[in-house]
Amino acid sequence: MIKIALPKGRIAKESLEIFSRIFETKIEFDDRKLILEKHNFLFMLVRSQDVATYVYHQAADIGIVGLDVLEEHPLKVVKLMNLNIGKCRVVVGARADGGIDYLKPRIKIATKMPHITLRYFSQKAIPVDVIKLYGSIELAPLVGLSDGIVDIVETGDTMRQNNLIEVEKIMDSSAHLICNLNSFYAKKNEILSLCAKIQKEL
Ligand code: PRP
């Protein structure tokens, strides 16, 4: 049996569609159920930020996770393949009418990705105070909580509709299939055969 951790939210639907095509049957979780067994596969539904944790600790053999999430919560897992779904980018954003004044001694950045933010600005030797938020990041510069944001942009609608602009791109992201080293060795044939089937459906 192969145990698969799938992320709730934007990538979940597309991932489940891929597996539904592979197994030629609808892979669908019942209402609030978080676990589903089908065709010798065990699917589990977890928060996207937790996928790598389930995989790393071997509660799941493989998982699907955005590169941005993996970058924010780095764990030693094997990246098996790029699924090219859930494409988005991590950007620095600011008010369209002001931008970010890098001449200030410290700038305040609101984000749900403090790790990526700190690393990015420290590489540029720009002092930042990171304000950790859990959502609606785009609001922060509009009401004076921060000078700018680091956030995910997919269509760009949220930033546009809130009069924000992209100042710089930090990274591109898309969903990747990951695996822990132990499962990779123990179930190599099954996992590689699944990768081949997924590749055909992309
Ligand atoms: C993400 C991200 C942006 C939005 C970008 O938030 O933080 O707010 O999506 O998408 P867009 O470019 O297509 O408009 P999410 O929907 O995960 O909600 P959150 O604010 O609760 O984090």
CSV table of all heavy atoms in Angstrom, one decimal, residues 1-3 58 60-62 78 80 179-192:
chain,number,residue,atom,x,y,z
A,1,MET,N,0.8,-1.2,0.0
A,1,MET,CA,0.0,0.0,0.0
A,1,MET,C,0.9,1.3,0.0
A,1,MET,O,1.9,1.3,0.7
A,1,MET,CB,-0.9,0.0,1.2
A,1,MET,CG,-1.5,1.3,1.5
A,1,MET,SD,-2.9,1.4,2.6
A,1,MET,CE,-4.0,0.1,2.2
A,2,ILE,N,0.5,2.2,-0.8
A,2,ILE,CA,1.2,3.5,-0.8
A,2,ILE,C,0.3,4.6,-0.1
A,2,ILE,O,-0.9,4.7,-0.4
A,2,ILE,CB,1.5,4.0,-2.2
A,2,ILE,CG1,2.6,3.1,-2.8
A,2,ILE,CG2,2.1,5.4,-2.2
A,2,ILE,CD1,3.2,3.6,-4.1
A,3,LYS,N,0.9,5.3,0.8
A,3,LYS,CA,0.1,6.3,1.6
A,3,LYS,C,0.4,7.7,1.0
A,3,LYS,O,1.6,8.0,0.9
A,3,LYS,CB,0.5,6.2,3.1
A,3,LYS,CG,0.1,4.9,3.7
A,3,LYS,CD,0.6,4.8,5.1
A,3,LYS,CE,2.1,4.4,5.2
A,3,LYS,NZ,2.6,4.4,6.5
A,58,GLN,N,7.2,9.7,7.8
A,58,GLN,CA,6.8,8.4,7.3
A,58,GLN,C,5.3,8.0,7.6
A,58,GLN,O,5.0,6.8,7.5
A,58,GLN,CB,7.8,7.3,7.7
A,58,GLN,CG,9.2,7.6,7.1
A,58,GLN,CD,10.2,6.7,7.7
A,58,GLN,OE1,9.9,5.5,7.8
A,58,GLN,NE2,11.4,7.2,8.0
A,60,ALA,N,3.1,9.2,5.8
A,60,ALA,CA,2.8,9.1,4.4
A,60,ALA,C,4.0,8.8,3.6
A,60,ALA,O,5.1,9.2,4.0
A,60,ALA,CB,2.2,10.4,3.9
A,61,ASP,N,3.9,8.0,2.6
A,61,ASP,CA,5.1,7.7,1.7
A,61,ASP,C,5.4,8.8,0.8
A,61,ASP,O,6.5,9.2,0.6
A,61,ASP,CB,4.8,6.4,0.8
A,61,ASP,CG,4.5,5.2,1.7
A,61,ASP,OD1,5.4,4.8,2.5
A,61,ASP,OD2,3.4,4.6,1.5
A,62,ILE,N,4.3,9.3,0.2
A,62,ILE,CA,4.5,10.5,-0.8
A,62,ILE,C,3.5,11.6,-0.4
A,62,ILE,O,2.6,11.4,0.3
A,62,ILE,CB,4.4,10.0,-2.2
A,62,ILE,CG1,3.0,9.4,-2.5
A,62,ILE,CG2,5.4,9.0,-2.6
A,62,ILE,CD1,2.7,9.0,-3.9
A,78,VAL,N,12.6,13.8,-0.7
A,78,VAL,CA,13.0,13.7,-2.1
A,78,VAL,C,11.9,14.4,-2.9
A,78,VAL,O,10.7,14.1,-2.8
A,78,VAL,CB,13.1,12.2,-2.5
A,78,VAL,CG1,13.6,12.1,-3.9
A,78,VAL,CG2,14.0,11.5,-1.5
A,80,LEU,N,10.2,14.2,-6.2
A,80,LEU,CA,10.1,13.2,-7.3
A,80,LEU,C,9.8,13.8,-8.6
A,80,LEU,O,10.4,13.5,-9.6
A,80,LEU,CB,9.1,12.2,-7.0
A,80,LEU,CG,9.3,11.2,-5.8
A,80,LEU,CD1,8.1,10.5,-5.5
A,80,LEU,CD2,10.5,10.3,-6.1
A,179,CYS,N,8.6,12.6,-1.5
A,179,CYS,CA,8.7,11.2,-1.0
A,179,CYS,C,9.7,11.2,0.2
A,179,CYS,O,10.7,12.0,0.1
A,179,CYS,CB,9.2,10.3,-2.1
A,179,CYS,SG,9.3,8.6,-1.7
A,180,ASN,N,9.6,10.4,1.2
A,180,ASN,CA,10.7,10.3,2.1
A,180,ASN,C,11.6,9.2,1.7
A,180,ASN,O,11.3,8.3,0.9
A,180,ASN,CB,10.1,10.0,3.6
A,180,ASN,CG,9.5,8.7,3.7
A,180,ASN,OD1,10.1,7.6,3.6
A,180,ASN,ND2,8.1,8.7,3.9
A,181,LEU,N,12.9,9.3,2.1
A,181,LEU,CA,13.9,8.4,1.6
A,181,LEU,C,13.6,7.0,1.9
A,181,LEU,O,13.9,6.1,1.0
A,181,LEU,CB,15.3,8.8,2.3
A,181,LEU,CG,16.1,9.8,1.6
A,181,LEU,CD1,17.3,10.2,2.4
A,181,LEU,CD2,16.6,9.3,0.2
A,182,ASN,N,13.1,6.7,3.1
A,182,ASN,CA,12.8,5.3,3.4
A,182,ASN,C,11.8,4.6,2.5
A,182,ASN,O,12.1,3.5,2.0
A,182,ASN,CB,12.3,5.2,4.9
A,182,ASN,CG,13.4,5.1,5.9
A,182,ASN,OD1,14.5,5.6,5.6
A,182,ASN,ND2,13.1,4.6,7.0
A,183,SER,N,10.7,5.4,2.3
A,183,SER,CA,9.7,4.8,1.4
A,183,SER,C,10.2,4.7,0.0
A,183,SER,O,9.9,3.7,-0.7
A,183,SER,CB,8.5,5.7,1.4
A,183,SER,OG,7.9,5.8,2.6
A,184,PHE,N,11.1,5.6,-0.4
A,184,PHE,CA,11.6,5.6,-1.8
A,184,PHE,C,12.4,4.3,-2.0
A,184,PHE,O,12.3,3.7,-3.0
A,184,PHE,CB,12.5,6.8,-2.0
A,184,PHE,CG,12.9,7.0,-3.5
A,184,PHE,CD1,11.9,7.1,-4.4
A,184,PHE,CD2,14.2,7.0,-3.8
A,184,PHE,CE1,12.3,7.2,-5.8
A,184,PHE,CE2,14.6,7.1,-5.2
A,184,PHE,CZ,13.6,7.2,-6.1
A,185,TYR,N,13.2,3.9,-1.0
A,185,TYR,CA,13.9,2.7,-1.1
A,185,TYR,C,13.0,1.4,-1.0
A,185,TYR,O,13.1,0.5,-1.7
A,185,TYR,CB,15.1,2.6,-0.2
A,185,TYR,CG,16.2,3.6,-0.6
A,185,TYR,CD1,16.6,4.7,0.2
A,185,TYR,CD2,16.8,3.4,-1.8
A,185,TYR,CE1,17.5,5.6,-0.2
A,185,TYR,CE2,17.8,4.3,-2.3
A,185,TYR,CZ,18.2,5.4,-1.4
A,185,TYR,OH,19.1,6.3,-1.8
A,186,ALA,N,12.2,1.5,0.0
A,186,ALA,CA,11.3,0.3,0.3
A,186,ALA,C,10.3,0.1,-0.7
A,186,ALA,O,9.9,-1.1,-1.0
A,186,ALA,CB,10.7,0.5,1.7
A,187,LYS,N,9.8,1.1,-1.4
A,187,LYS,CA,8.7,0.9,-2.3
A,187,LYS,C,9.0,1.6,-3.7
A,187,LYS,O,8.1,2.1,-4.4
A,187,LYS,CB,7.4,1.6,-1.8
A,187,LYS,CG,7.0,1.1,-0.4
A,187,LYS,CD,5.7,1.7,0.1
A,187,LYS,CE,5.3,1.2,1.5
A,187,LYS,NZ,4.1,1.8,2.0
A,188,LYS,N,10.3,1.5,-4.0
A,188,LYS,CA,10.8,2.2,-5.2
A,188,LYS,C,10.0,1.8,-6.5
A,188,LYS,O,9.5,2.7,-7.2
A,188,LYS,CB,12.2,1.8,-5.4
A,188,LYS,CG,12.9,2.7,-6.4
A,188,LYS,CD,14.4,2.6,-6.3
A,188,LYS,CE,15.1,3.6,-7.1
A,188,LYS,NZ,16.5,3.6,-7.0
A,189,ASN,N,9.7,0.5,-6.7
A,189,ASN,CA,9.0,0.2,-8.0
A,189,ASN,C,7.6,0.7,-8.0
A,189,ASN,O,7.2,1.2,-9.1
A,189,ASN,CB,9.0,-1.4,-8.1
A,189,ASN,CG,10.4,-1.9,-8.4
A,189,ASN,OD1,11.3,-1.1,-8.8
A,189,ASN,ND2,10.7,-3.2,-8.1
A,190,GLU,N,6.9,0.6,-6.9
A,190,GLU,CA,5.5,1.1,-6.9
A,190,GLU,C,5.5,2.6,-7.1
A,190,GLU,O,4.7,3.1,-7.8
A,190,GLU,CB,4.9,0.8,-5.5
A,190,GLU,CG,4.5,-0.7,-5.2
A,190,GLU,CD,4.3,-0.9,-3.7
A,190,GLU,OE1,5.3,-1.1,-3.0
A,190,GLU,OE2,3.1,-0.8,-3.3
A,191,ILE,N,6.4,3.3,-6.4
A,191,ILE,CA,6.4,4.7,-6.5
A,191,ILE,C,6.8,5.2,-7.9
A,191,ILE,O,6.2,6.1,-8.5
A,191,ILE,CB,7.4,5.3,-5.4
A,191,ILE,CG1,6.7,5.1,-4.0
A,191,ILE,CG2,7.7,6.8,-5.6
A,191,ILE,CD1,7.5,5.5,-2.8
A,192,LEU,N,7.8,4.5,-8.5
A,192,LEU,CA,8.2,5.0,-9.8
A,192,LEU,C,7.2,4.6,-10.8
A,192,LEU,O,6.9,5.4,-11.8
A,192,LEU,CB,9.6,4.3,-10.2
A,192,LEU,CG,10.8,4.8,-9.5
A,192,LEU,CD1,12.1,4.1,-9.9
A,192,LEU,CD2,10.9,6.4,-9.6
